Amino acid sequence: MTALSEMLVLTGRSMKHILRSPDTIITVCIMPIAMMLMFVYIFGGAIKSALPAGTNYVTYQLPGILLITVASGVAYTALRVFTDRQKGIFSRLHTMPISRGAALWAHVITSIVSNLVSVLVVIAVALLIGFRSSAGPLAWLGIIGMVLLFTLAMTWLAVIPGLTAKSAETAGAFSYPLIFLPFLSSAFAPTDTMPWAVRVFAEYQPVTPIVNSIRALLTNQPVGSNLWVALAWLIGISIVTFCIAVRLYRKAV
Amino acid sequence: MNANTSTVAGTTDRPAAIAIDDLHKAFGANQVLKGIDLKVHTGEIFALLGSNGAGKTTTINICTGLLKPDRGRVAICGFDVARQADQVRRVISLTGQFAAVDDILTGRENLELIARLRSVTDPKAIATALLKRFDLEDAADRRASTYSGGMNRRLDIAMSLIGTPQVIFLDEPTTGLDPESRLEVWRSVEELAAGGTTILLTTQYLDEAERLANRIAILHQGVIIACGTMAELKELLPQPKIEYVEKQPSLEDIFLAITAKEAK
Ligand SMILES: Nc1ncnc2c1ncn2[C@@H]1O[C@H](COP(=O)(O)OP(=O)(O)OP(=O)(O)O)[C@@H](O)[C@H]1O
Ligand SMILES: [Mg+2]
């Protein structure tokens, strides 16, 4: 069997885990959807007055909501990795004649596929409440690429607590600060109304350029330097977390 | 002069199934293994006895490549565990101390998963056959999370038999099993050995070692303090006084008699 087909067999296995506990997908989607409804229907009216006239606020806040969806989804990735380590599944696989990385990559693929599904569900709800985009096919490609890259970076980040946590509860805890990051960014309100310290943080943390890029692509605006800053952050985080995760994986099992 | 100079006098031309040489392992200040030497021959059932914390699991983890020793070497069928890990993995199989079963999959799916990964020709047929052999047919399509401890253990052992490995490591295979399942595991171990499979098992039960193993080693405080056949080990003891008493049935005999399936 090739490493690729081993990985696919193991991906099929963890996809079964998700399909058998649909509550994981529902839980992952409910929270960002609730936040979106809150922002659109409760704060949206007030925030809109600070935005250029004619701004569609559902579209405006969607990029941040998508990032929150992924940030809460990868908590389950950490949990699945943790369970496999805890239950000795990794050990069992490592004494078998299969490629060493197959088990880890299977978790990564599963994470990407399941998060993509959650993102699509959230986008569908956004469409129902008035999300509209004038993006062309090329812009959509860019949006999908950006969300995928963000998912990849967060997935490798999630593998680290999955491999090191002492309990199932702490394995997913890293995602709370991640979920919080979009609030301290340009995701829901323009940064220039924020107090100075928050504003500096908001402008220099990775969520702002990512949100700005996706928002520009959705509304057919020029992305400018945001795109390069966002890509640099995402590729940088992916590489660093990948290296740490792979090293931990080699040591842990 | 002997033309066959590469063969050291006294050794056979076939490598031992498991050759453990001067194994040392410490966890921090805890010196667990202090120089273990063992040879397990092909087709042999070898029992490693030791109390809690003696280092049985540590020894097995080193033999299966899950843990690196501080010093010493292990060779499986002539392949060095540290340097020829791929070849080693092709001939071994491990049933760890705690069942490594996927709770969310059914028993059948667990077996099919391993069969696919091991590139067995007919995963479905293998799974069905093993479910029958380990008396798991009724529970085959239930999630493993609903299994009892003994069923989990049986599934775990069944998973280790897929792909007909030449050397099987069983870490406390019968701990937590009822007497009937225990006999079932014993029977499987004996069948495997009869078919030429080498088995290294650890146990805390003296009767299990006595009943199953061709040879027994006792691991105590980091070293092997005794190693040999049951007869050889018995000679280590002072001659017992011979007394004649009526043989009483043991609790196990009684338990087995009254729990035996009446239908059969
Ligand atoms: N990863 C580890 N880190 C630190 N100490 C460890 C580790 N693994 C084992 N030990 C220690 O090494 C010793 C031997 O452990 P091991 O699990 O090999 O014993 P064992 O003979 O299998 O015992 P048991 O019958 O309880 O399964 C114990 O003192 C244990 O605490
Ligand atoms: Mg043990």
Side-chain angles (χ1 to χ4, degrees), chain A residues 6-185:
Chain A
E6 286 156 8
M7 191 193 72
L8 290 178
V9 167
L10 288 167
T11 305
R13 164 198 169 243
S14 42
M15 289 307 298
K16 262 187 203 151
H17 285 200
I18 293 176
L19 293 175
R20 286 193 189 166
S21 45
D23 52 301
T24 57
I25 287 214
I26 294 169
T27 317
V28 166
C29 294
I30 290 269
M31 198 259 298
I33 288 172
M35 280 188 190
M36 175 161 69
L37 296 177
M38 193 172 73
F39 271 103
V40 169
Y41 292 115
I42 300 173
F43 308 131
I47 298 171
K48 243 174 142 169
S49 58
L51 298 173
T55 304
N56 176 340
Y57 188 68
V58 182
T59 307
Y60 183 90
Q61 54 86 62
L62 186 62
I65 292 292
L66 296 184
L67 300 192
I68 288 177
T69 309
V70 173
S72 66
V74 290
Y76 287 93
T77 306
L79 191 63
R80 285 190 292 270
V81 170
F82 173 82
T83 311
D84 271 7
R85 180 171 59 99
Q86 185 80 344
K87 287 239 43 173
I89 306 277
F90 282 144
S91 294
R92 158 158 257 148
L93 295 173
H94 282 305
T95 60
M96 286 171 52
I98 61 170
S99 106
R100 234 175 133 66
L104 187 57
W105 278 100
H107 279 294
V108 171
I109 305 286
T110 304
S111 174
I112 290 175
V113 172
S114 62
N115 276 299
L116 210 59
V117 172
S118 309
V119 160
L120 290 176
V121 171
V122 173
I123 292 178
V125 174
L127 277 170
L128 289 180
I129 62 170
F131 159 60
R132 297 290 177 268
S133 167
S134 49
L138 209 63
W140 270 111
L141 224 56
I143 295 162
I144 293 168
M146 192 70 91
V147 171
L148 275 179
L149 200 53
F150 181 74
T151 311
L152 188 69
M154 293 303 104
T155 295
W156 282 113
L157 182 65
V159 170
I160 296 171
L163 288 173
T164 52
K166 300 267 188 293
S167 72
E169 288 77 29
T170 53
F174 76 100
S175 82
Y176 296 119
L178 290 182
I179 292 168
F180 199 64
L181 276 184
F183 295 102
L184 302 176
S185 81

Side-chain angles (χ1 to χ4, degrees), chain B residues 14-198:
Chain B
R14 214 149 53 128
I18 306 170
I20 301 178
D21 182 24
D22 192 34
L23 218 52
H24 285 72
K25 180 74 190 177
F27 294 104
N30 182 5
Q31 190 73 46
V32 178
L33 303 179
K34 304 173 190 165
I36 306 281
D37 295 284
L38 283 178
K39 261 198 173 56
V40 180
H41 309 305
T42 303
E44 191 172 35
I45 302 178
F46 192 96
L48 188 58
L49 270 175
S51 42
N52 285 137
K56 303 180 296 293
T57 300
T58 304
T59 306
I60 287 209
N61 284 349
I62 294 173
C63 288
T64 52
L66 291 174
L67 204 62
K68 284 195 174 51
D70 298 335
R71 206 165 99 201
R73 278 176 291 124
V74 179
I76 310 284
C77 300
F79 300 117
D80 187 281
V81 172
R83 275 173 286 129
Q84 295 166 292
D86 287 341
Q87 284 97 321
V88 168
R89 283 201 291 258
R90 243 168 258 141
V91 295
I92 65 163
S93 171
L94 165 68
T95 307
Q97 186 166 356
F98 305 101
V101 166
D102 186 329
D103 278 343
I104 296 169
L105 300 188
T106 66
R108 186 188 302 281
E109 286 169 336
N110 267 293
L111 290 164
E112 286 179 7
L113 174 73
I114 301 295
R116 284 219 177 84
L117 289 172
R118 282 196 180 266
S119 307
V120 173
T121 33
D122 191 350
K124 285 196 188 310
I126 289 276
T128 305
L130 282 169
L131 288 164
K132 188 172 161 71
R133 177 162 161 199
F134 283 89
D135 200 17
L136 290 167
E137 282 167 302
D138 294 339
D141 298 305
R142 251 172 39 207
R143 287 191 196 182
S145 56
T146 66
Y147 285 15
S148 71
M151 291 161 80
N152 247 309
R153 197 63 187 155
R154 272 160 20 222
L155 174 61
D156 191 38
I157 294 173
M159 285 161 77
S160 303
L161 304 189
I162 297 170
T164 52
Q166 295 170 41
V167 179
I168 298 184
F169 294 89
L170 299 169
D171 197 356
E172 301 197 20
T174 63
T175 302
L177 292 190
D178 59 38
E180 215 176 307
S181 308
R182 202 163 165 221
L183 282 176
E184 177 53 50
V185 170
W186 286 359
R187 227 174 284 135
S188 298
V189 169
E190 281 166 340
E191 271 171 38
L192 287 166
T197 308
T198 308

